[in-house]
Amino acid sequence: MNSVALLELLSAIKEGKITPEQGMHRLTHWPGEDIEFANIDHQRALRTGLPEVIYAAGKTDAQVVEIFSRMARQGGNVLATRATPTAAEAVCARVPGAVYNPLARTIALRQQQTPSAIGPLAILCAGTSDLPVAEEAVVTAELLGHSVVKIVDVGVAGLHRLLAQREKLATARAIIVCAGMEGALPTVVAGLVRAPVIAVPTSVGYGASFGGIAALLGMLNSCAPNVAVVNIDNGFGAACFAHAILSNPTS
Amino acid sequence: MNSVALLELLSAIKEGKITPEQGMHRLTHWPGEDIEFANIDHQRALRTGLPEVIYAAGKTDAQVVEIFSRMARQGGNVLATRATPTAAEAVCARVPGAVYNPLARTIALRQQQTPSAIGPLAILCAGTSDLPVAEEAVVTAELLGHSVVKIVDVGVAGLHRLLAQREKLATARAIIVCAGMEGALPTVVAGLVRAPVIAVPTSVGYGASFGGIAALLGMLNSCAPNVAVVNIDNGFGAACFAHAILSNPTS
Amino acid sequence: MNSVALLELLSAIKEGKITPEQGMHRLTHWPGEDIEFANIDHQRALRTGLPEVIYAAGKTDAQVVEIFSRMARQGGNVLATRATPTAAEAVCARVPGAVYNPLARTIALRQQQTPSAIGPLAILCAGTSDLPVAEEAVVTAELLGHSVVKIVDVGVAGLHRLLAQREKLATARAIIVCAGMEGALPTVVAGLVRAPVIAVPTSVGYGASFGGIAALLGMLNSCAPNVAVVNIDNGFGAACFAHAILSNPTS
Amino acid sequence: MNSVALLELLSAIKEGKITPEQGMHRLTHWPGEDIEFANIDHQRALRTGLPEVIYAAGKTDAQVVEIFSRMARQGGNVLATRATPTAAEAVCARVPGAVYNPLARTIALRQQQTPSAIGPLAILCAGTSDLPVAEEAVVTAELLGHSVVKIVDVGVAGLHRLLAQREKLATARAIIVCAGMEGALPTVVAGLVRAPVIAVPTSVGYGASFGGIAALLGMLNSCAPNVAVVNIDNGFGAACFAHAILSNPTS
Amino acid sequence: MNSVALLELLSAIKEGKITPEQGMHRLTHWPGEDIEFANIDHQRALRTGLPEVIYAAGKTDAQVVEIFSRMARQGGNVLATRATPTAAEAVCARVPGAVYNPLARTIALRQQQTPSAIGPLAILCAGTSDLPVAEEAVVTAELLGHSVVKIVDVGVAGLHRLLAQREKLATARAIIVCAGMEGALPTVVAGLVRAPVIAVPTSVGYGASFGGIAALLGMLNSCAPNVAVVNIDNGFGAACFAHAILSNPTS
Amino acid sequence: MNSVALLELLSAIKEGKITPEQGMHRLTHWPGEDIEFANIDHQRALRTGLPEVIYAAGKTDAQVVEIFSRMARQGGNVLATRATPTAAEAVCARVPGAVYNPLARTIALRQQQTPSAIGPLAILCAGTSDLPVAEEAVVTAELLGHSVVKIVDVGVAGLHRLLAQREKLATARAIIVCAGMEGALPTVVAGLVRAPVIAVPTSVGYGASFGGIAALLGMLNSCAPNVAVVNIDNGFGAACFAHAILSNPTS
Amino acid sequence: MNSVALLELLSAIKEGKITPEQGMHRLTHWPGEDIEFANIDHQRALRTGLPEVIYAAGKTDAQVVEIFSRMARQGGNVLATRATPTAAEAVCARVPGAVYNPLARTIALRQQQTPSAIGPLAILCAGTSDLPVAEEAVVTAELLGHSVVKIVDVGVAGLHRLLAQREKLATARAIIVCAGMEGALPTVVAGLVRAPVIAVPTSVGYGASFGGIAALLGMLNSCAPNVAVVNIDNGFGAACFAHAILSNPTS
Amino acid sequence: MNSVALLELLSAIKEGKITPEQGMHRLTHWPGEDIEFANIDHQRALRTGLPEVIYAAGKTDAQVVEIFSRMARQGGNVLATRATPTAAEAVCARVPGAVYNPLARTIALRQQQTPSAIGPLAILCAGTSDLPVAEEAVVTAELLGHSVVKIVDVGVAGLHRLLAQREKLATARAIIVCAGMEGALPTVVAGLVRAPVIAVPTSVGYGASFGGIAALLGMLNSCAPNVAVVNIDNGFGAACFAHAILSNPTS
């Protein structure tokens, strides 16, 4: 039951068409029933400021195509993450305007102009192997309307490369830092700036990196207090979190 | 070498008191030497927007008193976390105005008026056992100048308690959620709002909670994308991260 | 807003005292506001069939006494788990009729007659060291109105002791099995019966038992399909789950 | 030695055909020998109320076909889980009536009418990726004679979807909840109902989900007491456990 | 029902005192009922060759005294492991002849002469910190009747100390090796002998020894094939296992 | 330097052919140099009673063929474990008499008659999926000269199947038990016999079996004291350890 | 800004071409800007004594070829590790003089004569399966100019093989020891020498070796104090660390 | 048997006082018996260049005193680590010249002048909480004769503090870096120097630091190749390893 239906119901009570008792019965399951009737995706977008996204891993190509094209028909921006090349080819064949980024493994469709958000968002990665995760963050952030400054290959074993980027870092309103192996980059960056640093551990590494656990623990134990962490390889989530920071969430 | 000293040096070169070669020698280690001379704490506050904080765990009472009172003399706000009652008693006896919060285990000294930051910050905790962590966040955030809305005992096994707080959640610019055991509360909250949700796993629980690991993993795997995570029991860090979000980091 | 208040609101609309638009506004947050008004504890009992319980670990004696006595005043049965002897002494001094079980570490107050539930509930433990966990389950189950058959010291390294209890097992409607170390008892029991077996790993053991992890994993990997598992040492939860099975949840 | 054979033996003693001493010798290994002679599968079915099931993972197609068809000849219902498409094709070619469910990866043969069990069993899954596990539970439960209510895609990050299903949940006698990632859904569901909730962690997720460990821990630490847990991805076991609950185990 | 009772039953059938049907009924639960009648402790000793042992950890002093003295009255040898000094004092005050070994934390009572077992049993430990575990093995083995050769402080970082003991090792019929930290000693010993080597990881160490996990994993991964492992710190179990090897288990 | 050489050296000193100082110099590296002279493979067989074995995992087919055929030329028995079908085919083509066992993944060549060892060795496995590990143990034990009793599919969820084998178990001098999932079978077996039980956890299972960790922990925490454990899936090691038990290691 | 530019700046101030204030402004970001101007790879070589190396894992063949050939053009030595055969083929086709080592999975190009470093470097491995890791260390060390003594197959289960190499070990200035499974070899070696022992755990093993964790923990817990550890399978890092030891780092 | 005794034996043979056969008998167990007879500590010192050290953790005060004073009588330097204040008091009362360092928890006795080793050794720690571990390294290194440069409180979240120490770092021949929490400091340091960096993870931290695991993993995964790692909190081992580097191990 949406707003219109609710107003009709209350008016019908006023007009005596239904009794208060009948009205009460029909309102028993209101919040739920209303939602079933409404379009789930649109409501989520309104409520949280983020579009529905297709997590393509573990879905068949056909499923990805079906969901993507159905979402596309509703006119908003659409994003699929962790997409295989074959799924991407199939989606792009069906949905004009869909763009595949093989590095980020994303399929993006931009149908709406997003309002420009506040200040630039910086996205860093420690090494070239961390690029796919950073790129997933870049694609997501740009689809959400943010201007992104990308800084690549600034690992902590060669500090001069990072220090050379201090000016760019100082002007960012939020910073996403992707790093694998020992995962120290977010801490070092956070010590240089006032902005919130969103740390993304990556699964880059071998042996005792344990698929990103070493980086994850390093980031959680950061001695800099302006660091928070998302899941391993979760470039998409980092960008969404940055979006929640950069948009005015209460307006 | 601070700004004044640098300007004097350059003027001395201009006036021929020292040669350019001598000046060059003295500048070789400039950024480091300058820092050694300067007051470290003040610089950090300028650079990152956060005061130095005393992590009292593992320090003797005498050490805590010594560091706290030396910091207090510099005129800014001072915070000690994880303080024992005896350390707190000793600090309060020495430093007038220092306030001990036994639940949060913090000692706070407010000597400076902090500018009012943007919008309210909501701090939730799932159960009463999570209160000490939430309280550490509250004390820290208030010392940093934020107005805090505290919401207690809204665990996910009784959704109605949380849903009753929806309006407060909707007006918050950032939300800190502390939860132990299964750590599901940040995800449920994040599904209701547009604001960034900072999840703090707590060590509350027993058995397979493994001292907060269960909650930590639950939060890292949140299916809501506007969630980021800090270390277990790190209420202080969550508040600092919220401060980084709520202050304009580039101004 | 409870049922009475809702009916009044709808009647006021019918009578023209308030307009439908005004009514609509007041209904906006209905499910939540209604809940805030109601008595949380009683509602939970109605909704889930279980009383509120005080998890005393990590609470001060004063807090336990305060919560316990406030709950007791509402006339229902009250249970505190993981209670220390001093907390128990304080509660029993304040609340007449409260009974402390030092083995189970529970404080129970029986003020209401609970309806007799279906069939007997069997509660087993592998060794005498598992008794505290089993006893917590016994106290909880009896407070919930169940007749309990307790079977002690029937570890799998001496099968004859277990096989001698087959008749008792065969007549149980649900079976709780507490075991530490290798945690094999629930599997062996489940192979002998048709009833659901609720497995409770205990932290009994040393070395590679890792505080109950070995038993927990053993139970989760049970090759018998009528086994489900609760948290380590969670005798209380096992009894509540058995209660959910034995009561008719939909009546 | 089954009942008939035992009675014949005892009668032979009475009739003097064999001496008591001879009888005693033949009875020495009675429980074992009888079992060796008897049909193992049928006895298990009688004892535990569950049919033998083929866990096809790690078996060759030929082995699956051989075991399935030998079981089928005995006239009861047969179930294979974790079956590959090629194994399924081979079984269906050999055993008429066998049905392959590629989503659930099950092969089911229904040859017996199962008595209708009590009240409906609800089976939920948090996201579409959890469907294979939920479907394994559905197939198993239906083969065991239960009427199943299936509820899909009701993750906790969008509570309205779950709340809309409250009525269905309220009428279920037992509820199976499959969820990966943070695994919070069983807890939220359990807070809404009186029925026992059987939680199935799934291996859906990436990074710090660690193949289902995050969900498993979340469920074990549930703050709702009417939750018990089975192994990761064990939809089959959850359905068997529900069967043990819903059938009268002592009749 | 023991042998005598069984023969009486069968004779009664022959004599017509009871019908075969009545006999059949009485035999239904035979193996179990028989066992209930027997003396559990004695039967275990007969069946497995090992006396009942009291694992004193987690038991009150009073409980240890009670169990120990009741066992002592049956005339056999009695052993308590992990006993506290106060428990030991109480037992020794009550049971004449009981001997406390504070290093091994054992209380032993020798009332029976045990037959001399085959060949010597060597018990080694890597460092002096491993002595308590080795001593627990020594006390247990000697109570079981074995002659023990004890070799102390032969860690692998100083091979000469071990090589100097080669002759003693060569004459041992079984070897128990206790080691913490990296746990390499059992492997090195096993490479020098033909006898089975029972490896006991100890919790000696710090940091990444993780309470004995490092040693445990080292031993499980031994590149010598004549090594098997028991639980961390389980000197008692190692001695029992050696006893099973050295006694002729089938005689 | 062997005994003869040592005597010659000392005699040369007595006869003044070399000075004591020269003799002292030549003795400096004595224990090591002596070893260099011996044949490594043959020495190992003499020293430990076990032949060299090829662990084929991670070796190329060509490497396996080369090592196998070179060992075969020395006339003893040869064993390769974890061999792929293609490696096996290549070995069998080159070495007449080599036999491939695809279930056990072993290639065995019997060129020597091994003396009959004491008493039978029983090898059990809990389920049919554990068979490859059990079969590796069987092949190894038979090549080492032991008569093996194989008992299959006696999991603890159906105790009758195991109890039916009690007589075979009672006559075994040593017992190897392979089990995955919850790994409870060795404990139950050990409670029935006096013989040493060598527990082999297998990687059979899924989810929380963690590739055999659950079974491994279960076995290490066995409440039966006549159990020792080898590495996951290490059927070969279990057989070698049984060989060390069954042969007289000091003769 | 390099030294020349800095001197020019200071001279310009002296000459009055720019004011001290202008100079101060231009010096604000000096250390970073200077670095951006310099050649990063060459600077790293100067600073740390090690060439840039291509970690080829996770890079496409094309990327490896591109990076390798660009580095080669600068005239120094180039090394790629973890290279696939196809990447190696492509590199060797493009870069004359590049040499592929399939066992070590390295591609090395030697264009510069490296100065002979101090004393020999010994590189050991416990078994033949550890050879790839040892070989990676050998290739790296030789490219860095060291003379390497390689010692293979000296596992601790056959000490004589190791003891026979004592003289070689005694003359080494640094020792790298690669071992999987229980990882005990570095400890035993370290007990025989004065030189620093760099331990490299390898992922060789199965079951409870957990991909090298057992070896890693064993090495970290070494009871010999002259042992330090690098990441699992990190032969390259071990050689670089040995290089840092053997070169005079301050000259 | 030490060198003197050996020479006497050989001389006695030459002089005919004992026969070669008698000499041979006495030499049979030479390396071992000699060691048993000789002073173990002296031989170890010769072989590895390190004195015996008392690891006092887990030893009684009386044991520490006894071992310390017996070692002291032999005239060399003596070191006890992890000593409690009471043990230290007892040792200092008994052994004149013994010095207790309560921060490092060491007792050191300097009786011998150690030769000055090459170049300075730098010892850093990230925060003041890491000081005890760094101090243990300092005490050990100084007792071994090294000149130590100590650098405190240079965590990576404030890079300027570290960069200010670059000159000291550049002149060190080896560098020990102690850090807890995220453990990033060794990597950052290693990127600035050519010297080998010995990383010591400390147990400083809370929550997801897991007692030093986060720091340990961070260091093992260092992206700088001149880093090797010792056990958590092992300041003593780091100093010994530095000693092995700085002394010429082959002279």
Side-chain angles (χ1 to χ4, degrees), chain E residues 128-129 157-161 163-165 167-168 204-210, chain H residues 29 31-33 35-36 40 43-44 47 55 59 82 213 216 231-234:
Chain E
T128 50
S129 309
L159 276 183
H160 52 284
R161 294 179 297 183
L163 296 177
Q165 307 288 344
E167 209 152 333
K168 283 187 198 164
V204 168
Y206 62 91
S209 85
F210 299 134
Chain H
H29 299 291
E33 287 181 349
I35 280 152
E36 249 188 12
I40 293 168
Q43 206 186 58
R44 182 189 172 90
R47 203 175 62 248
Y55 177 69
K59 295 204 173 65
R82 317 263 164 140
I213 293 181
L216 171 62
N231 197 0
I232 297 165
D233 289 339
N234 192 7

Side-chain angles (χ1 to χ4, degrees), chain H residues 7-184:
Chain H
L7 193 54
E8 281 174 10
L9 171 65
L10 298 183
S11 302
I13 292 173
K14 176 177 162 51
E15 293 160 14
K17 290 181 184 165
I18 62 170
T19 63
E21 285 74 14
Q22 288 169 325
M24 189 180 158
H25 180 76
R26 289 180 56 188
L27 281 167
T28 307
H29 299 291
W30 172 45
E33 287 181 349
D34 184 54
I35 280 152
E36 249 188 12
F37 173 83
N39 185 297
I40 293 168
D41 301 333
H42 285 184
Q43 206 186 58
R44 182 189 172 90
L46 286 173
R47 203 175 62 248
T48 66
L50 297 165
E52 272 292 331
V53 167
I54 307 159
Y55 177 69
K59 295 204 173 65
T60 65
D61 290 1
Q63 288 175 320
V64 174
V65 171
E66 182 58 30
I67 302 174
F68 198 103
S69 55
R70 236 188 313 156
M71 285 184 168
R73 256 174 267 139
Q74 300 190 350
N77 296 338
V78 183
L79 179 65
T81 62
R82 317 263 164 140
T84 59
T86 56
E89 196 177 355
V91 167
C92 294
R94 174 98 153 263
V95 181
V99 177
Y100 180 51
N101 182 325
L103 184 59
R105 291 177 299 162
T106 52
I107 318 170
L109 175 68
R110 183 183 295 267
Q111 300 188 118
Q112 276 187 332
Q113 206 52 35
T114 38
S116 15
I118 311 158
L121 167 65
I123 300 181
L124 286 77
C125 69
T128 50
S129 309
D130 303 312
L131 257 180
V133 178
E135 196 68 19
E136 189 185 87
V138 168
V139 169
T140 304
E142 289 180 346
L143 197 69
L144 289 165
H146 301 281
S147 72
V148 173
V149 175
K150 196 162 88 180
I151 302 173
V152 176
D153 206 7
V154 287
V156 295
L159 278 183
H160 53 283
R161 295 180 296 184
L162 178 64
L163 295 177
Q165 308 288 345
R166 257 189 300 198
E167 209 152 335
K168 284 187 196 164
L169 295 175
T171 57
R173 292 291 306 255
I175 301 175
I176 292 172
V177 184
C178 308
M181 300 173 82
E182 84 279 54

Side-chain angles (χ1 to χ4, degrees), chain F residues 11 20 57-58 80 107 111 134-135 151 166 172 190 193 202 211 220 226 238 240 248:
Chain F
S11 301
I107 318 169
Q111 298 189 121
E135 197 68 18
I151 301 174
R166 259 190 298 199
V193 300
T202 73
L220 286 168
N226 48 333
C240 292
N248 186 336

